[in-house]
Amino acid sequence: MVIGILVYWEESVGDSPPCRFCALRTKPCVLFPPMTELRLIEKIEGEAQVRYRFEGERVADAQIRFLTGRHIEKVLEGRDPRDALAINPRICGICGHAHLIATVRALEGCYPDLCLSEKARILRELTLSFELLQNHFKWFYLTIWPLIFPGEVRINEAVEPARIIGEMIALIAGKYPHNSYALPGGITCEPTPVDLLGVRERLEGVMRRFRTYLIDVDPEEFSRCDRIEGMLEREGDLPRVMEAIPDRGWERLGRSFDRFIVFGGNSCFVSGKSHATRMRQEPDPRYLTEELIEGSEAKMVRYRDKVYETGPLARAMLLKTPLIREAHRRYGDSLFSRILARVCEIPRLLLYVEELIGQIDISEPSWIDPGRMSRETEGMGRVEAARGSLIHRVVVKEGIIAEYQIVTPTQWNLGSGPVEDPGVAQKALIGCRNNDPLELIFKSFDVCSVCTTH
């Protein structure tokens, strides 16, 4: 929701191109002067600012700024590497668990002889997947729904699944959010058969709510669906949203570069990159670069000097999810495809965690002593968080953190460049009309400023 708008007129420069309406070159256009609107965006994790420049009724530029810095990377410098296990889960209240798993994987890269039990791997994967599920429900009902159906409240549909999933994480990790149950060598918990039974019962409750709230179809059947019309024939809030978007002429809005990247780290997804439907090899983090953005606390991130979209749409394209491939064939990397892709991850994750629970052998050790960390070393951890690929990198010198780097999904999707070299969300906004749902397009990427201004 826009909580403040500052509107002012920009003067045209002497050598600016003539206005297509009145052919004036040296003075501001009297009929359609260039206009800039500063919009402050709320109902996201943190705050963001978008400065739109309009030419006539079209967006000519959209500069995205994050104004409040947290500087977690600097906070970590000079500390014992194990301190990151307590600090980093508090980077974000929405995806703090993803930050924990990325942290522990980065630290584990610093141990030369580390061994992880299958039990610890599965339980980490479970809790990480639970967090994705929770975020998907909340994003759909608390962020997207009010922008399409203002006045129709769907609080319970977000809160109930989120509460249940939070309990599922807590049964394994001890609490949620901000737990630190994962550490180099494994996990600190010893779940009992009763704990796992509680997780199963709650998972059944989430599956029921998926069918009751989102779409009345079995998750396995929905994961095989390859026709948009077949999805729209079902009852539920997802078909309502996906039907409303083309009814209002929005289905092709929000198209960007059609480039996708997934760094993986979760066995539910595959890593790689693609341009439209052309797949490429697994990306190499060594080719990541970050650059400062003037006037913003966030950084822009590129891979081999190009910007890529990360997140559920990218993951679905790499997985060749049938329904998303069909949406992409019709509408490209649009608002329609982006929203549908995120909700389509819910049944996939539900089936995945159900399978994982059946694979747990509680007789295996939860933790295996990793030995001593090298005093001069570095490590990297990669996970797929709700919004996309999350990367943590640590450099240890003389036994303390000398450098810590965090690359977040919002840096990929909401990075801001000049108009001739825009970021992913900028590209999606440029060219839209003033009366198009700009906030909906912006929020379809799911913004997290507190992660991004680390």
Side-chain angles (χ1 to χ4, degrees), residues 101-164:
I101 302 301
T103 300
V104 75
R105 288 178 178 173
L107 293 180
E108 286 179 337
C110 300
Y111 290 85
D113 302 316
L114 183 133
C115 183
L116 194 67
S117 71
E118 186 67 6
K119 170 185 167 183
R121 185 197 67 80
I122 291 174
L123 289 172
R124 287 182 185 180
E125 192 74 15
L126 268 178
T127 53
L128 182 59
S129 299
F130 290 157
E131 185 175 74
L132 266 69
L133 279 166
Q134 185 194 62
N135 282 329
H136 292 349
F137 275 100
K138 291 190 292 187
W139 172 81
F140 181 80
Y141 281 112
L142 301 181
T143 299
I144 298 302
W145 183 272
L147 294 174
I148 297 178
F149 301 112
E152 289 193 37
V153 179
R154 287 289 193 273
I155 300 296
N156 187 66
E157 286 80 352
V159 171
E160 270 299 292
R163 176 188 62 79
I164 296 169

Side-chain angles (χ1 to χ4, degrees), residues 269-284:
F269 307 115
V270 297
S271 60
K273 62 187 180 72
S274 73
H275 186 190
T277 58
R278 299 190 299 278
M279 306 301 169
R280 296 290 186 271
Q281 74 281 357
E282 182 174 341
D284 188 338

Side-chain angles (χ1 to χ4, degrees), residues 226-228 321-331:
D226 60 359
R227 292 179 56 253
I228 292 174
T321 303
L323 190 59
I324 305 310
R325 297 271 287 187
E326 172 64 9
H328 182 270
R329 184 186 67 80
R330 296 189 190 187
Y331 309 126

Side-chain angles (χ1 to χ4, degrees), residues 18-315:
C19 172
R20 61 189 177 94
F21 296 102
C22 65
L24 291 177
R25 182 183 296 273
T26 59
K27 297 180 180 179
C29 170
V30 176
L31 298 177
F32 298 93
M35 182 182 72
T36 298
E37 287 188 10
L38 178 65
R39 302 188 181 185
L40 306 179
I41 311 299
E42 68 168 1
K43 291 190 177 179
I44 60 174
E45 182 73 356
E47 295 177 343
Q49 179 189 93
V50 185
R51 188 184 300 273
Y52 291 100
R53 180 168 61 84
F54 293 94
E55 291 183 358
E57 60 182 8
R58 298 278 184 179
V59 176
D61 189 18
Q63 291 296 317
I64 302 167
R65 298 290 184 264
F66 298 95
L67 304 181
T68 305
R70 301 180 71 229
H71 309 296
I72 299 296
E73 292 171 331
K74 289 294 183 184
V75 169
L76 292 167
E77 290 180 7
R79 290 179 176 268
D80 187 302
R82 293 168 295 186
D83 288 353
L85 296 170
I87 294 171
N88 289 354
R90 291 161 175 80
I91 289 175
C92 180
I94 300 296
C95 54
H97 200 68
H99 281 285
L100 170 65
I101 302 301
T103 300
V104 75
R105 288 178 178 173
L107 293 180
E108 286 179 337
C110 300
Y111 290 85
D113 302 316
L114 183 133
C115 183
L116 194 67
S117 71
E118 186 67 6
K119 170 185 167 183
R121 185 197 67 80
I122 291 174
L123 289 172
R124 287 182 185 180
E125 192 74 15
L126 268 178
T127 53
L128 182 59
S129 299
F130 290 157
E131 185 175 74
L132 266 69
L133 279 166
Q134 185 194 62
N135 282 329
H136 292 349
F137 275 100
K138 291 190 292 187
W139 172 81
F140 181 80
Y141 281 112
L142 301 181
T143 299
I144 298 302
W145 183 272
L147 294 174
I148 297 178
F149 301 112
E152 289 193 37
V153 179
R154 287 289 193 273
I155 300 296
N156 187 66
E157 286 80 352
V159 171
E160 270 299 292
R163 176 188 62 79
I164 296 169
I165 296 168
E167 291 174 357
M168 293 161 71
I169 299 174
L171 279 170
I172 297 172
K175 68 171 186 175
Y176 185 78
H178 307 322
N179 61 65
S180 299
Y181 91 112
L183 73 167
I187 52 179
T188 61
C189 66
E190 289 286 357
T192 67
V194 175
D195 293 329
L196 296 182
L197 179 62
V199 172
R200 284 185 182 275
E201 290 177 345
R202 287 167 175 80
L203 179 59
E204 291 173 2
V206 176
M207 286 185 170
R208 288 196 301 270
R209 284 163 176 80
F210 168 76
R211 296 194 62 164
T212 302
Y213 300 158
L214 283 168
I215 184 167
D216 187 16
V217 62
D218 179 75
E220 189 168 353
E221 181 183 348
F222 184 60
S223 66
R224 296 194 302 267
C225 178
D226 60 359
R227 292 179 56 253
I228 292 174
E229 289 76 16
M231 178 267 297
L232 295 176
E233 290 170 358
R234 299 287 184 163
E235 295 293 324
D237 290 335
L238 175 63
R240 277 195 66 191
V241 166
M242 303 320 297
E243 191 170 37
I245 290 173
D247 284 350
R248 301 175 190 186
W250 296 349
E251 68 273 19
R252 288 181 171 82
L253 295 178
R255 297 181 67 165
S256 190
F257 293 103
D258 220 11
R259 291 197 296 261
F260 308 105
I261 199 162
V262 178
F263 278 89
N266 304 45
S267 53
C268 185
F269 307 115
V270 297
S271 60
K273 62 187 180 72
S274 73
H275 186 190
T277 58
R278 299 190 299 278
M279 306 301 169
R280 296 290 186 271
Q281 74 281 357
E282 182 174 341
D284 188 338
R286 292 178 299 175
Y287 296 106
L288 288 181
T289 56
E290 290 184 302
E291 57 191 62
L292 297 174
I293 302 172
E294 185 179 357
S296 178
E297 292 289 341
K299 296 177 182 177
M300 186 95 159
V301 61
R302 301 177 187 270
Y303 183 81
R304 290 185 180 271
D305 298 325
K306 291 182 179 180
V307 294
Y308 285 81
E309 178 172 348
T310 189
L313 179 56
R315 295 192 286 249

